[in-house]
Amino acid sequence: SVATDANGIPNDWQDNGIFSKYYIQAYDKLKTLSLDEKIAQLFLIRFDESKANDILKKYNLGGFVFFEKDFKGKTEAQVKQMMNQLQKNAKIPLLTAVDEEGGKVVRISSNSNLASEKFKSPSELYNAGGFDLIKQDTINKSNLLHKLGLNVNLAPVVDVATDPNAYMYGRTLQQNTALTSTYAKTVIDASKGRGVSYTLKHFPGYGNNTDTHISSSTDTRTYDEILANDLPPFESGIKAGAEAVLIGHNTVTSIDNTNPASLSPSVHNLLRNNMNFTGIIITDSMDMSAVTSINDSIVKAIQAGNDLIITTDYKSAIN
């Protein structure tokens, strides 16, 4: 038998976490779900407009991740209608997630029907108006996403990259650790109360590593270097109340030299227990080449400590 408190909540839930005021409702809801429904709740799947509503009738999914093509040519009314229909078909309200970072990665604001201009990258905003402009930009972004029916932004990128040729450099603030930490706090603070959760990424810090979309990537820096250079922006965002952290696929040898971060119990232990993060841990997409050749990668991702798995092939993942 599981030890519980007076409300019947298991003692191992007692983390005084950022969602703890919802634990009683969550626990009551869990008791009504079948095993299949609980499993499907773990997945944030690539949206496919032609099949999404049919999929929801069969699977009790956690939610969808939307890309640029899902909004292309649509009006505001059409996007709202699409989102309303999905929520109507969902047994549990869906997470509707998008990478609206600004700069190179703009899924919504690339459509001029939905935004008058594309959101600017963090470095452009910082250079033009510092943290005041970043704060205003976060508010504008949140308002747009919320209005359209999106409730999770898979941003900000709080990685510290110092090499202009590095894969992640263009998506970062392009500043040092201290300023990137202020950036993380600024975005999370500005996002509060606007109906959109933000996601710090890519834990434990992408650094100057190669592109994990196309191959595996190994980070051989010492733990002390990562502790000093990469973790502070995540700590700053967590202290500000970030609701989600996304884990990258780099293999960080000083923490775990056999598994990519996304599949590493040691990396998750660092985030949960050393950094006291009580929110939602999300994998980067499990369709990326850094993890696709690993056997049982979905099972390993759950065993490592992820709460949400991003994938396209939801059927085999659920199986």
Side-chain angles (χ1 to χ4, degrees):
S1 71
V2 178
T4 63
D5 70 1
N7 294 309
I9 303 292
N11 286 345
D12 65 0
W13 284 38
Q14 310 297 334
D15 61 0
N16 195 27
I18 59 171
F19 296 119
S20 53
K21 65 179 176 183
Y22 306 107
Y23 287 178
I24 294 171
Q25 287 165 283
Y27 195 66
D28 287 346
K29 176 60 83 175
L30 270 174
K31 287 189 283 200
T32 71
L33 300 182
S34 68
L35 181 62
D36 282 352
E37 288 173 327
K38 287 176 187 173
I39 291 169
Q41 277 288 298
L42 294 165
F43 293 97
L44 204 52
I45 76 162
R46 172 81 179 78
F47 180 70
D48 177 342
E49 191 168 9
S50 64
K51 300 182 189 144
N53 285 296
D54 291 334
I55 293 168
L56 285 177
K57 286 167 188 165
K58 189 169 177 196
Y59 295 100
N60 191 33
L61 291 169
F64 292 104
V65 180
F66 297 83
F67 283 77
E68 185 176 337
K69 81 174 190 62
D70 304 319
F71 305 106
K72 214 176 177 84
K74 287 189 170 73
T75 63
E76 185 183 311
Q78 286 171 318
V79 174
K80 286 178 177 171
Q81 166 61 25
M82 177 170 86
M83 297 297 173
N84 288 338
Q85 193 56 53
L86 292 170
Q87 294 291 8
K88 218 177 275 182
N89 287 327
K91 186 173 171 185
I92 287 179
L94 291 165
L95 295 170
T96 49
V98 69
D99 299 88
E100 195 69 20
E101 296 174 10
K104 275 199 286 194
V105 182
V106 281
R107 312 301 196 201
I108 293 170
S109 61
S110 55
N111 176 348
S112 58
N113 294 329
L114 305 176
S116 56
E117 59 175 343
K118 291 181 182 181
F119 287 109
K120 291 181 169 60
S121 71
S123 59
E124 279 181 280
L125 291 167
Y126 181 74
N127 292 332
F131 294 117
D132 287 343
L133 195 55
I134 284 165
K135 177 183 176 181
Q136 191 52 54
D137 175 79
T138 304
I139 292 167
N140 296 346
K141 236 180 236 170
S142 305
N143 290 346
L144 177 62
L145 266 60
H146 181 62
K147 179 173 73 172
L148 294 171
L150 290 137
N151 53 32
V152 177
N153 194 1
L154 298 169
V157 171
V158 297
D159 303 309
V160 180
T162 51
D163 177 358
N165 298 314
Y167 168 68
M168 195 54 71
Y169 184 76
R171 292 165 61 189
T172 70
L173 189 68
Q174 300 177 9
Q175 300 294 330
N176 64 22
T177 298
L179 288 169
T180 305
S181 299
T182 305
Y183 169 63
K185 181 184 185 331
T186 302
V187 172
I188 299 304
D189 281 346
S191 74
K192 289 293 171 190
R194 298 184 185 278
V196 180
S197 295
Y198 278 64
T199 310
L200 306 171
K201 65 185 189 186
H202 307 77
F203 192 82
Y206 208 97
N208 295 322
N209 292 290
T210 54
D211 182 0
T212 50
H213 290 85
I214 53 175
S215 68
S216 59
S217 171
T218 304
D219 188 329
T220 56
R221 291 176 298 161
T222 66
Y223 182 66
D224 285 344
E225 282 179 274
I226 287 160
L227 197 63
N229 299 320
D230 295 66
L231 297 187
F234 290 96
E235 287 174 317
S236 174
I238 289 165
K239 281 197 180 113
E243 288 154 334
V245 171
L246 184 140
I247 310 267
H249 296 315
N250 292 315
T251 299
V252 184
T253 57
S254 64
I255 304 174
D256 182 339
N257 63 8
T258 50
N259 298 295
S262 54
L263 308 185
S264 167
S266 305
V267 170
H268 289 74
N269 181 51
L270 169 67
L271 179 57
R272 276 275 181 250
N273 299 321
N274 296 33
M275 297 172 71
N276 301 317
F277 178 61
T278 59
I280 304 300
I281 302 178
I282 310 176
T283 67
D284 208 341
S285 171
M286 297 299 288
D287 307 317
M288 288 159 66
S289 294
V291 289
T292 47
S293 61
I294 297 172
N295 290 334
D296 295 325
S297 60
I298 301 290
V299 174
K300 285 175 179 161
I302 291 164
Q303 288 174 331
N306 294 287
D307 303 303
L308 276 176
I309 313 289
I310 297 180
T311 187
T312 300
D313 184 2
Y314 62 93
K315 278 187 187 166
S316 66
I318 286 169
N319 287 339

